[in-house]
Amino acid sequence: MKKITIAVDGYSSCGKSTMAKDLAREIGYVYIDTGAMYRTVTLYAIQNGLITSDGINTTLLKQKMGDINITFTLDPETGKPLACLNGVCVEKEIRGMEVAAHVSPIATLDFVREAMVEQQRQMGKEKGVILDGRDIGTVVFPDAELKIFVTASAEIRAQRRYDELKAKGMDCDLNEILQNVQERDRIDTTRAISPLRQAEDAIVLDNSHMTIEEQKAWLLNQFKRVTDGN
Ligand code: DC
């Protein structure tokens, strides 16, 4: 069967990565979490004192972009991809509230986006990939054969992220998370470069009231619809 490129875009905390990961495992595709890449750049900036109360030191971050090597390895126990920064696993750190609070402004920077998009195109050039993010179907792979645009209400998304963090034993506040979700939506959709928007040929999935199993089946059907006969 001919391999295709699958783009999954949408709002933060919509469950994009869960569905993309599941589908990738099911169909034997490579999964690329592009949000994790922007989060890793943000972590680097935090760790190196490039984000202060005055804002982001963009001059220095731009100079340091070449020092930021992002890779993914598979967790030997769960088989899930783990983000690494310069060879060190940073999966836990990039999911915390500190990174979440700073990642949207970092993702608006043109030089950061250029570097990430270039890496994502390299990672996906052989097809057989499923990428989740904000600009995959519009900018990174506008020719992707299957494009999904995922959405759900902000309240439901905040609750999901809260449950996720609690399950990991992290201390968090639902109201703070909701504000963070809404603020990230605002920045993601209004930024000048590659704002989050639905590609014209994307299929919308509102999963506010869907279970993970239902959405898994829905996505697999979409994949079969596009690849049947190829
Ligand atoms: O999907 P996520 O929550 O892990 O994404 C983290 C941030 O990165 C979010 O604020 C949007 C940004 N992002 C982006 O601008 N482009 C992408 N392709 C993926 C994520």
Side-chain angles (χ1 to χ4, degrees), residues 4 45 51 75 147 194 198 213-214:
I4 64 164
I51 303 179
D75 185 321
K147 298 182 187 178
S194 308
Q198 185 192 331
E213 285 310 313
E214 283 167 346

Side-chain angles (χ1 to χ4, degrees), residues 147-162:
K147 298 182 187 178
I148 313 287
F149 190 80
V150 197
T151 175
S153 78
E155 286 74 18
I156 286 180
R157 289 183 282 134
Q159 184 69 49
R160 286 178 187 160
R161 174 124 315 179
Y162 175 84

Side-chain angles (χ1 to χ4, degrees), residues 50-64:
L50 304 181
I51 303 179
T52 63
S53 51
D54 294 336
I56 305 165
N57 186 336
T58 50
T59 311
L60 211 50
L61 181 59
K62 192 171 181 175
Q63 283 171 18
K64 297 275 185 187

